[in-house]
């Protein structure tokens, strides 16, 4: 979703391929972003815009009056299955399609409050109960949510408020004789139960979002940087002719050390995998959960109780405050463009939002300042290395006593202190010369199409104070736009090209990045070159390139006689001079390895099928075979040991299981390092085995090591860390074991 959807991308690439060669050459050899934008924009035809409009309409981002009932019924199914998280998300989808002050809105909020109650999110549940009542929850159903409100208050330790709520509820029954004959005894029993629960409950376990927020607040820099606010003293700021402004390590960095703690200058929620655009007559409402259903579209906070925009069904927030801030800053412009922005992709969306946050006038000032500085009425962003020198000289400046003072690093003040402002963002290199001509054409046409849509929406903006009364919110319109669309479009094109190298994605932990323990030097450098346009020359790459000529340690063969590593290319010989073992061809050993891997796969299938004894027998044979020709640190040796550990654990032989897993642990440490997340996972497994085998000292020691490693990569909400803490608590609560007869 960073780039446009596949249909639009393919359409534009076909358009590029069909252009006359002379036109392609003109765009390919354009020296400035302005020229690229103007040449490309002139090629955007009405039929192109119609195709894009058709694609955009496939994303249903408007409000549909029939959707709330559908999502409420689907949510009820999940609720009956006790999938309260799934139910809450579906009720939220119903909320996003509901109009303010309607029964649909109140019922969806009330149902969501029930799901949140079962998830233990009592504060959020109370907010939803209040929202249900505010939007006109039916009088006949009020007892249900009032009782739920009382239960939440008791769970939170607010017994006085709970008693008041029950008293109000009882008065309602007194005033409604039809209900008084049915529910008072139930209420009394529930009130008694709630009071008993209050005596038992002293505190409330923090929910995931609260724990996350607290962890981020508690995170601290080891020593703050004098040049970079909110950065560690372990890094410094410099400018490189090819990479632009960048951070470099100034001292050894500890594993898990916090390096930068700063809010994003601009962010857009990545929607993740969206349902395909809807163009047919089949069900148009999707029940799948996406990022847009789980995170605030402004602050990115995780939430199951989203507050929707009153103008569209796509934008959702964690609170009314976030909704209002988003509206005032950018969403009043983005609201009617939701389908278009989803079609054009996240990068184009960020480029637009950045200009909206900064303000078109400020964008104009920065670009005009650059033009005046270099005495050219063009936006001079040439496609050569001279670009770096021009930008460093032209925009790295500040005013002092009315005079322009040039600074060596763009984005810093006259004292060399980094400033987190639009000037700093604008000076990030777009690497225009490194992007392919068709990619620049694609980005330029996306920006051009967006500019034309924004030009068309030229009505005055709704006064921001009107959003306070959400029922008065009408169709969103565009604020006053930058008169010079060229400046506006070129700025967005620049930002779109910048993002490939400069955007930071906030994601869950991934184990597939270009790290030396997971990826060979050639593949790693190729990935870095394709995304960041530079050849990595770090010590790891340089030393590894030399060492990898003989193959990594986890792929090495060993001598059958003495166990020393084998060396050579096509023909391998023992690395020990005192060994008289004959040479052997690499092809022969590779063939043996492939046969062994096939036997391991057979054993793993036996293990999955529950044939444990046969699996152990097969894996033991594989282990003996591996020891005769594979280096002790070979990945397959670790894989076999891991399989034996799992088989022995399933058989209840915890001691043997621990022995095998420790061998696997050694292989993992050699390949990935003692502080790697892979090592943390292996230590977690070993801790489980010691725990199940009642090896208390070994379990406690391993739990501590696992926590230390995993804490470098994960927060306290991580499932494995929480499980380790439970195991430790259980072991520490055990009575001491007698060591001898008592006197």
């Amino acid at each position: 979703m960073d780039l446009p959807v596949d249909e639009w991308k393919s359409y534009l690439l076909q358009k590029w391929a069909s252009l006359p060669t002379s036109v392609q050459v003109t765009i390919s050899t354009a020296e400035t972003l302005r020229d690229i934008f103007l040449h490309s924009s002139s090629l955007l035809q009405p039929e192109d815009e119609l195709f894009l409009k058709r694609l955009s309409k496939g994303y249903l981002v408007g409000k549909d009056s029939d959707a709330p009932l559908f999502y409420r019924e689907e949510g009820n199914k999940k609720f009956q299955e006790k999938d309260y998280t799934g139910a809450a998300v579906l009720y939220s989808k119903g909320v996003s399609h509901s109009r303010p002050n309607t029964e649909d809105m109140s019922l969806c909020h009330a149902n969501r409050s029930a799901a949140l109650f079962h998830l233990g999110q009592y504060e959020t549940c109370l907010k939803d109960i209040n929202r249900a009542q505010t939007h006109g929850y039916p009088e006949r159903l009020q007892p249900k949510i009032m009782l739920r409100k009382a239960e939440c208050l008791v769970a939170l330790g607010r017994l006085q408020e709970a008693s008041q709520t029950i008293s109000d509820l009882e008065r309602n029954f007194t005033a409604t004789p039809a209900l008084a004959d049915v529910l008072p005894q139930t209420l009394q029993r529930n009130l008694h139960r709630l009071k008993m629960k209050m005596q038992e409950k002293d505190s409330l376990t923090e929910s995931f979002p609260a724990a996350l927020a607290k962890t981020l607040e508690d995170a601290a820099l080891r020593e703050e940087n004098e040049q970079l606010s909110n950065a560690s003293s372990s890094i410094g700021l410099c400018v490189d002719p090819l990479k632009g402004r960048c951070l470099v390590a100034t001292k050894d960095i500890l594993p898990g050390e916090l390096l930068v703690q700063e809010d994003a200058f601009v962010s857009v929620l990545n929607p993740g995998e969206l349902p395909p655009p809807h163009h047919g007559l089949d069900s148009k409402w999707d029940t799948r959960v996406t990022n847009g259903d789980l995170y605030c579209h402004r602050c990115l906070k995780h939430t199951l109780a989203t507050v929707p925009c009153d103008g569209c069904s796509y934008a959702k927030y964690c609170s009314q405050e976030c909704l209002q801030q988003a509206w005032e800053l950018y969403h009043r412009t983005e609201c009617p463009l939701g389908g278009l922005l989803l079609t054009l992709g996240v990068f184009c969306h960020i480029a637009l939002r950045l200009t909206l946050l900064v303000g078109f006038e400020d964008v104009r000032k920065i670009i005009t300042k650059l033009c005046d500085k270099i005495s050219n009425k063009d936006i001079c962003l040439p496609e050569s290395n001279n670009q770096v020198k021009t930008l460093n000289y032209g925009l790295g400046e500040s005013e002092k006593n009315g005079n322009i003072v040039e600074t060596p690093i763009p984005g810093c003040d006259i004292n060399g202190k980094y400033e987190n402002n639009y000037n700093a963002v604008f000076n990030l290199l777009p690497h225009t010369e490194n992007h392919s001509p068709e990619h620049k054409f694609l980005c330029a046409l996306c920006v051009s199409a967006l500019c034309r849509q924004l030009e068309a929406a030229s009505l005055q903006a709704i006064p921001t104070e009107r959003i306070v009364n959400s029922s008065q919110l009408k169709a969103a319109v565009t604020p006053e736009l930058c008169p010079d669309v060229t400046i506006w479009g070129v700025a967005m094109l620049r930002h779109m090209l910048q993002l490939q190298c400069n955007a930071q994605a906030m994601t869950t932990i991934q184990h597939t990045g270009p790290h030396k323990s997971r990826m060979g030097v050639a593949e790693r450098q190729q990935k870095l070159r394709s995304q960041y346009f530079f050849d990595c020359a770090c010590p790891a790459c340089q030393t590894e390139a030399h060492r990898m000529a003989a193959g990594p340690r986890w792929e090495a063969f060993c001598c059958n006689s003495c166990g020393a590593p084998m060396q050579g290319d096509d023909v391998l010989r023992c690395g020990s001079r005192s060994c008289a073992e004959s040479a052997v061809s690499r092809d022969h050993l590779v063939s043996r390895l492939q046969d062994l891997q096939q036997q391991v796969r057979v054993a793993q299938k036996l293990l999955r099928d529950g044939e444990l004894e046969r699996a152990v027998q097969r894996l033991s044979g594989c282990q003996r075979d591996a020891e005769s020709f594979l280096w002790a640190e070979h990945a397959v040796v670790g894989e076999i040991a891991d399989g034996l550990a799992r088989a022995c654990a399933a058989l209840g032989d915890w001691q043997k299981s621990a022995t095998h897993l420790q061998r696997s642990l050694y292989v993992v440490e050699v390949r990935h390092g003692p502080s790697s997340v892979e090592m943390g996972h292996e230590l977690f497994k070993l801790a489980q085995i010691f725990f199940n085998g009642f090896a208390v000292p070994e379990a406690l020691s391993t739990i501590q090591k696992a926590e230390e490693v995993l804490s470098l990569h994960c927060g306290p909400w991580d499932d494995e860390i929480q499980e380790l803490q439970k195991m430790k608590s259980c072991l520490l609560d055990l009575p001491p074991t007698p060591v001898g007869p008592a006197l």
Side-chain angles (χ1 to χ4, degrees):
M1 290 303 295
D2 295 341
L3 293 175
V5 296
D6 290 340
E7 296 91 337
W8 179 239
K9 184 177 178 181
S10 298
Y11 180 90
L12 292 184
L13 293 179
Q14 289 175 8
K15 184 179 180 70
W16 168 263
S18 66
L19 292 175
T21 303
S22 60
V23 176
Q24 290 186 352
V25 170
T26 299
I27 296 174
S28 301
T29 57
E31 294 187 353
T32 69
L33 284 176
R34 181 178 185 274
D35 289 341
I36 294 171
F37 176 74
L38 290 176
H39 287 312
S40 301
S41 182
S42 67
L43 299 171
L44 185 65
Q45 301 299 315
E47 58 267 26
D48 303 329
E49 294 184 79
L50 284 175
F51 181 77
L52 178 60
K53 186 177 182 179
R54 201 158 52 243
L55 287 178
S56 302
K57 283 186 174 180
Y59 291 103
L60 305 177
V61 295
K63 292 186 183 291
D64 189 325
S65 59
D66 295 327
L69 176 60
F70 169 80
Y71 283 120
R72 201 163 68 246
E73 290 176 344
E74 293 298 311
N76 291 343
K77 294 175 185 176
K78 293 288 186 181
F79 192 92
Q80 293 299 321
E81 297 168 1
K82 300 188 184 304
D83 179 3
Y84 300 118
T85 298
V89 171
L90 289 169
Y91 294 141
S92 291
K93 287 178 180 284
V95 168
S96 68
H97 280 278
S98 300
R99 293 292 178 183
N101 302 315
T102 61
E103 186 170 292
D104 278 334
M105 180 71 86
S106 66
L107 291 174
C108 287
H109 274 124
N111 286 14
R112 190 172 70 183
S113 75
L116 295 168
F117 176 82
H118 284 281
L119 290 169
Q121 297 191 21
Y122 303 118
E123 289 281 10
T124 311
C125 176
L126 287 173
K127 291 179 182 178
D128 259 5
I129 290 171
N130 182 60
R131 290 173 182 135
Q133 293 174 321
T134 300
H135 288 285
Y137 193 63
E139 191 66 30
R140 69 185 186 279
L141 300 175
Q142 286 287 341
K144 292 172 61 177
I145 58 172
M146 290 185 72
L147 180 59
R148 188 176 302 139
K149 178 179 179 179
E151 291 188 285
C152 286
L153 291 168
V154 169
L156 293 169
R158 294 152 60 179
L159 186 57
Q160 186 174 354
E161 294 175 73
S163 299
Q164 182 62 50
T165 302
I166 293 295
S167 298
D168 294 343
L169 184 53
E170 290 176 326
R171 279 196 298 273
N172 288 345
F173 284 127
T174 302
T176 312
L179 295 175
D181 296 334
V182 182
L183 296 177
Q185 290 183 356
T186 304
L187 285 174
Q188 292 298 329
R189 287 197 300 269
N190 285 337
L191 177 59
H192 177 72
R193 175 175 56 81
L194 291 175
K195 289 181 178 179
M196 294 296 294
K197 181 187 285 188
M198 175 55 192
Q199 295 173 3
E200 298 170 359
K201 185 177 282 289
D202 294 324
S203 62
L204 175 68
T205 302
E206 280 188 308
S207 64
F208 165 78
L212 173 58
K214 186 175 186 300
T215 300
L216 295 178
E217 289 172 2
D218 292 344
L221 298 167
R222 193 163 55 128
E223 184 180 347
E224 195 158 328
N225 194 303
E226 294 182 0
Q227 184 187 21
L228 290 159
S229 298
N230 306 313
S232 166
S233 61
S234 299
I235 56 176
L237 185 67
C238 70
V239 64
D240 182 273
L242 297 178
K243 303 171 191 172
R245 191 177 65 239
C246 54
L247 298 176
V248 294
T250 57
K251 61 179 73 170
D252 289 342
I253 297 173
L254 300 175
E257 181 181 344
L258 182 63
L259 296 179
V260 179
Q261 187 178 38
E262 184 181 48
D263 291 334
F265 190 85
V266 61
S267 63
V268 166
L269 178 66
N270 190 326
E273 184 180 354
L274 288 172
H278 175 77
H279 299 293
L281 298 176
D282 54 330
S283 176
K284 55 186 175 181
W285 301 307
D286 191 77
T287 57
R288 285 178 290 180
V289 180
T290 67
N291 287 342
D293 301 314
L294 298 174
Y295 297 92
C296 176
H297 287 221
R298 192 193 77 84
C299 71
L300 309 183
K301 177 183 177 182
H302 182 278
T303 179
L304 289 176
T306 52
V307 179
C309 169
D310 289 340
C312 67
S313 63
Y314 178 68
K316 308 177 187 75
Y317 306 94
C318 65
S319 64
Q320 187 70 24
E321 292 73 24
C322 266
L323 183 153
Q324 173 127 8
Q325 289 180 40
W327 179 264
E328 293 174 355
L329 292 170
Y330 49 79
H331 190 61
R332 61 177 176 170
T333 299
E334 295 178 358
C335 188
L337 302 173
L340 176 64
L341 293 172
L342 288 172
T343 305
L344 295 179
V346 171
F347 281 1
C348 195
H349 193 169
I350 293 178
L352 169 64
R353 184 169 293 182
L354 178 54
T355 58
L356 292 173
L357 283 170
V358 174
F360 297 122
E361 189 57 36
D362 286 347
V363 173
R364 173 194 288 275
K365 285 179 181 177
I366 271 215
I367 294 180
T368 302
K369 183 186 292 186
L370 174 62
C371 292
D372 292 343
K373 180 68 181 178
I374 57 181
S375 301
N376 192 330
K377 296 308 177 185
D378 195 346
I379 298 174
C380 295
L381 304 173
E383 298 188 81
S384 69
N385 290 342
N386 292 332
Q387 173 190 8
V388 179
K389 182 178 180 181
T390 301
L391 287 178
N392 286 350
Y393 186 81
L395 285 180
E397 60 185 33
S398 300
E399 290 192 18
K400 186 175 183 181
N401 299 324
N403 298 318
I404 298 296
V405 180
E406 294 167 356
T407 57
I409 299 180
C412 293
D413 63 17
I414 57 175
N415 299 314
K417 182 86 171 180
Y418 174 74
E419 296 180 310
N420 183 17
N421 55 26
Y422 182 62
N423 183 39
V425 174
F426 188 87
N427 274 279
L428 294 169
L429 293 188
H431 292 281
T432 313
E433 71 279 7
N434 291 312
H435 291 285
S436 66
E438 53 265 40
H439 179 75
K440 287 181 282 193
F441 176 74
L442 181 149
C443 292
L445 279 194
C446 286
V447 170
S448 300
L450 181 56
C451 287
R452 292 191 188 181
Q453 287 294 314
L454 289 167
E455 274 190 293
S458 57
L459 298 176
Q460 289 296 318
I462 297 174
T464 55
E465 61 270 14
R466 292 183 63 182
I467 199 171
V468 174
N469 185 348
S470 58
S471 64
Q472 296 179 359
L473 177 61
K474 299 179 182 179
V477 293
T478 306
E480 184 178 354
L481 301 178
C482 177
D484 189 342
V485 178
T486 300
I487 289 181
W488 177 20
V490 171
M492 286 199 288
L493 176 58
R494 177 178 176 84
H495 296 318
M496 200 170 174
L497 295 177
Q498 284 174 328
L499 286 164
Q500 177 169 325
C501 294
N502 297 289
Q504 297 292 324
M506 291 180 284
T507 65
T508 53
I509 290 178
Q510 304 292 329
H511 297 169
T512 55
H515 191 279
K516 70 185 184 75
S517 68
R518 307 181 190 109
M519 196 178 289
V521 62
E523 182 184 3
R524 192 167 72 241
Q525 291 199 327
Q526 188 278 326
K527 285 185 174 291
L528 292 171
R529 190 180 301 115
S530 64
Q531 180 169 356
Y532 298 106
F533 307 121
F534 78 94
D535 292 314
C536 183
C538 72
C541 284
Q542 292 176 328
T543 57
E544 186 181 339
H546 175 72
R547 188 173 64 249
M548 285 296 178
R553 294 158 65 186
W554 53 86
E555 295 179 5
F557 298 107
C558 74
C559 175
N560 186 39
S561 297
C562 69
M566 301 291 283
Q567 298 176 352
D569 294 322
D570 295 336
V571 177
L572 301 178
R573 293 177 173 79
C574 179
S576 173
R577 295 181 179 179
S578 60
C579 182
E581 182 70 16
S582 302
V584 61
S585 72
R586 180 179 293 275
D587 289 342
H588 172 70
L589 293 178
V590 168
S591 177
R592 284 190 65 185
L593 176 60
Q594 291 171 345
D595 291 342
L596 176 62
Q597 289 173 319
Q598 176 60 32
Q599 292 300 311
V600 172
R601 286 192 288 270
V602 172
Q604 289 171 336
K605 185 177 186 304
L606 292 172
L607 187 56
R608 289 193 300 271
D609 294 342
E611 299 185 51
L612 304 178
E613 297 288 357
R614 290 183 62 196
V616 170
Q617 185 178 8
R618 176 83 62 165
L619 286 168
S620 297
C622 290
Q623 190 175 60
R624 288 190 294 272
D625 188 20
E627 289 171 348
S628 67
F629 75 104
L630 295 184
W631 185 240
E633 299 166 358
H634 198 286
V636 173
V637 172
E639 187 179 359
I640 295 170
D642 184 77
L644 283 167
R646 287 188 287 123
C648 291
L651 290 168
D653 193 337
W654 305 110
Q655 186 174 356
K656 280 188 178 180
S657 178
T659 300
H660 289 302
L661 191 58
Q662 284 170 320
R663 187 169 185 180
S664 170
L665 200 70
Y666 169 69
V667 175
V668 170
E669 181 174 2
V670 167
R671 179 169 185 177
H672 297 288
S675 300
S676 64
V677 70
E678 290 86 355
M679 190 67 174
H681 295 324
E682 291 298 304
L683 286 167
F684 172 75
K685 288 157 56 176
L686 184 60
Q688 285 182 311
I689 290 172
F690 283 138
F691 178 86
N692 291 331
F694 296 101
V696 177
E698 293 85 350
L700 288 172
S701 175
T702 307
I703 287 171
Q704 181 178 348
K705 292 177 184 177
E707 280 189 295
E708 290 173 355
V709 174
L710 288 173
S711 295
L712 299 175
H713 306 276
C714 316
W717 58 88
D718 178 73
D719 290 341
E720 290 187 351
I721 290 180
Q722 291 189 348
E723 182 64 26
L724 288 167
Q725 291 171 348
K726 290 177 183 177
M727 288 192 289
K728 180 167 64 176
S729 177
C730 181
L731 292 172
L732 293 175
D733 287 341
L734 290 174
T737 304
V739 295
L743 297 177

